[in-house]
Amino acid sequence: EIVMTQSPATLSVSPGERVILSCRASQTVSTNLAWYQQKPGQAPRLLIYPASTRATGVPARFSGSGFGTEFTLTISSLQSEDFGVYYCQQYNYWPLAFGQGTRVEIK
Amino acid sequence: QVQLVESGGGVVQPGRSLRLSCVVSGFSFDTYTMYWVRQAPGKGLEWVAVVTYDAVNKYYADSVKGRFTISRDSSKNTVFLQMNSLGPEDTAVYYCARVGRTSVTRGGFDYWGQGTLVTVSS
């Protein structure tokens, strides 16, 4: 069973700053990885799928990279609406697995 | 536009059953694999069950295997989750979600419902 580990657990960032979130898989998942943003009381929103492809309607400030076991989600210039919890998810193997999430707070 | 609308959640006693429904619209239902994903209060996301686009294959997380059954009805554009022998550990918001590619089993989820809360408590 693949374990997805995200870091850091929490990030407090000022608007305009660059943000880099990390996701590590316990085994290689190729590029079969997705990123989501979730705000309180809302369903997750797909940001990146697969590893480096932005989903429809996602702003260009969000970008994904990585292959194998190491992945990153970068927000080039944080906006106030980017607060929330970010999850990575591998779908290379059963069972599908999500990371535990990184909370991004606006400073 | 694509919509997924869950229903059927509520408060249920331990050991009882509940059936969730997810009515979809705005896309060709028969070409997309559908999932149920849950989120316990204050916790992360957990995949629960999947039914493939052709309804041939169904898979379950170990935590629900033997207790939950997923199904789909093309005539009603609906995905179901029959949950039996519920325990407090099943308390969560349950989301239905669509895989973001046609005719595949696994993938990222591009559309989600708003979720339905299931609370298992005596």
Side-chain angles (χ1 to χ4, degrees):
Chain A
E1 182 172 324
I2 293 182
V3 176
M4 307 300 292
T5 303
Q6 293 186 241
S7 62
T10 304
L11 211 50
S12 185
V13 188
S14 298
E17 287 188 8
R18 182 183 180 91
V19 175
I20 299 176
L21 308 181
S22 294
C23 175
R24 174 176 292 177
S26 59
Q27 301 174 48
T28 180
V29 298
S30 185
T31 58
N32 294 317
L33 185 112
W35 287 95
Y36 304 89
Q37 176 196 61
Q38 187 179 32
K39 296 183 178 182
Q42 296 184 16
R45 171 197 180 194
L46 181 67
L47 297 176
I48 304 288
Y49 165 57
S52 59
T53 302
R54 269 191 306 277
T56 302
V58 174
R61 63 180 181 274
F62 291 92
S63 63
S65 65
F67 177 88
T69 62
E70 301 284 344
F71 300 87
T72 59
L73 175 70
T74 300
I75 309 173
S76 60
S77 177
L78 189 79
Q79 304 298 300
S80 57
E81 63 265 30
D82 297 336
F83 72 92
V85 181
Y86 290 78
Y87 294 95
C88 61
Q89 174 227 334
Q90 73 82 19
Y91 53 90
N92 199 54
Y93 298 106
W94 295 113
L96 304 191
F98 292 90
Q100 81 281 14
T102 291
R103 183 178 303 277
V104 174
E105 300 173 343
I106 307 298
K107 195 182 289 184
Chain B
Q1 71 279 23
V2 173
Q3 285 192 310
L4 289 73
V5 180
E6 302 99 334
S7 62
V11 180
V12 61
Q13 292 180 330
R16 304 298 292 265
S17 299
L18 210 56
R19 189 195 199 201
L20 306 182
S21 300
C22 172
V23 179
V24 312
S25 59
F27 65 97
S28 180
F29 182 59
D30 292 345
T31 60
Y32 285 89
T33 292
M34 299 296 297
Y35 283 70
W36 287 97
V37 177
R38 69 183 180 184
Q39 186 170 38
K43 302 297 185 182
L45 300 166
E46 178 189 19
W47 157 73
V48 173
V50 52
V51 57
T52 54
Y53 56 95
D54 53 9
V56 171
N57 294 302
K58 302 172 184 179
Y59 304 97
Y60 300 92
D62 285 346
S63 57
V64 306
K65 200 172 295 182
R67 300 188 299 122
F68 288 13
T69 301
I70 190 171
S71 60
R72 62 192 294 159
D73 185 337
S74 293
S75 68
K76 298 178 180 178
N77 275 13
T78 302
V79 186
F80 301 99
L81 186 68
Q82 177 67 42
M83 305 185 295
N84 299 332
S85 302
L86 285 162
E89 68 278 8
D90 298 314
T91 293
V93 174
Y94 285 74
Y95 297 101
C96 68
R98 185 186 87 164
V99 170
R101 296 283 188 273
T102 58
S103 307
V104 298
T105 299
R106 300 191 300 264
F109 306 121
D110 62 346
Y111 285 94
W112 300 63
Q114 83 287 354
T116 186
L117 177 61
V118 173
T119 303
V120 184
S121 173
S122 54

